[in-house]
Amino acid sequence: MFPSSPVDPIAAIHISLMEQMSVLRIDIQVSISKIVEYVEKIHRNSEDPLPRSIANILGSILPAYQKLMLMVGADVDCLCKVHLTEAQKKVVPCPACGPKAADPNGDRLIVNVDGNSSLRQFDRVAGHRVDNDPNNDHVEGPYWQADKERIARQQQATVGCPCYRALRAKSGSNKAKDLRIKGVVGAMCHREVPLQMTNIFTPGESFNDVTSILNQIVKKHGSHIAIMYNVACRLRPALSDTVELSGIADAPLAVGIFHIFDHEPSCQADHHPYACNGFGLSCGECLERLWSFLGGYASSTRYMSPENRLLVLTVGLNYYASRKIKKIGASLVKRWQSAAAVYQHACKQLQALSLNRQRNLLAE
């Protein structure tokens, strides 16, 4: 049984039911009120009535259960790393791509970066975070270290296409001033497994957010990476001028396949992912699918405390990553078939072009 409170609990819920409600809340994104209706229906034949404050109980007990599960998962991960050497512990391989970023002789780890402005938090929400709580690291999980180790860079972009507002200096509106957190910038591999997240504290995406994310990627996974970003054409000076990112100053840069057509022709020629080495057939839009999933938490997390907001987003990211890893076999087969079809089509087109050229030469 899982108690409703660590001190003088008025109720307790069976672990199996806690797991069911956690799946409803995180995986299916069901609201607390709907979960209460579900509990009332399965409890209607019981002789003991439900507490009147069942909604408040579930609102506090579900985050506590999710936090406990994160702590258990972290302990299991530590036990699995007991036999690793110190050098192996420093490099964390991508769960889906392996240690690509640490091997300079192999393929690069493709890192997709993008921002989302719907995952906000109001400034009037008072946090109850305790700085000396040893469990805060478990709540933040492996995703939010960039919030603690931010790279201060106040310059705005001076190169690249002027059509996008990202990485440009902006003044906040009155509406944005009511928000403590204006959104989230995230990074994930091209196989759609989240790698790093950071909160946006300024109106719009800034160099601080992007460079802080990339700094954590380099620290954890290595510097042998290729970067896809909607305004990658503006990113090169920041990589060259930032000391922490000197290892990826020459990293290949590309723009997502859908956003590239909004850039200038010269930029399209330089940063189209199909025209740059190291990106293959990656579209660079996988983060849009992650934002669509996390959008189910947007309305509720705006009013949560900072700790509970990070807890819900971390559990959601873990679930999204596990779902992608479970389906990685079918995903790789589908991508292989798509790549094979593109290769065959290209061979036919080149062969036809060669035949036409020979005919023209014979005619001359």
Side-chain angles (χ1 to χ4, degrees), residues 113-114 157 159-168 205 228-235 253-273 283-285:
V113 182
D114 191 23
V159 298
C161 298
C163 53
Y164 281 91
R165 293 181 297 174
L167 306 185
R168 290 168 58 185
E205 301 167 36
M228 300 191 76
Y229 185 42
N230 295 342
V231 285
C233 53
R234 297 181 173 180
L235 201 55
L253 300 176
V255 178
I257 193 66
F258 296 134
H259 291 80
I260 189 64
F261 295 105
D262 201 21
H263 286 246
E264 296 176 348
S266 59
C267 183
Q268 294 185 33
D270 294 335
H271 297 97
H272 196 290
C283 66
E285 304 296 340

Side-chain angles (χ1 to χ4, degrees), residues 107 137 144 150 171 195 197 212 241 250 275 305 311 338:
D107 295 333
D137 291 338
W144 304 94
R150 297 187 68 81
S171 58
L195 299 177
M197 297 282 157
S212 299
D241 298 342
D250 298 326
S305 65
L311 174 63
S338 176

Side-chain angles (χ1 to χ4, degrees), residues 195-210:
L195 299 177
Q196 278 292 313
M197 297 282 157
T198 187
N199 291 305
I200 301 175
F201 297 96
T202 58
E205 301 167 36
S206 67
F207 276 117
N208 296 357
D209 306 317
V210 179

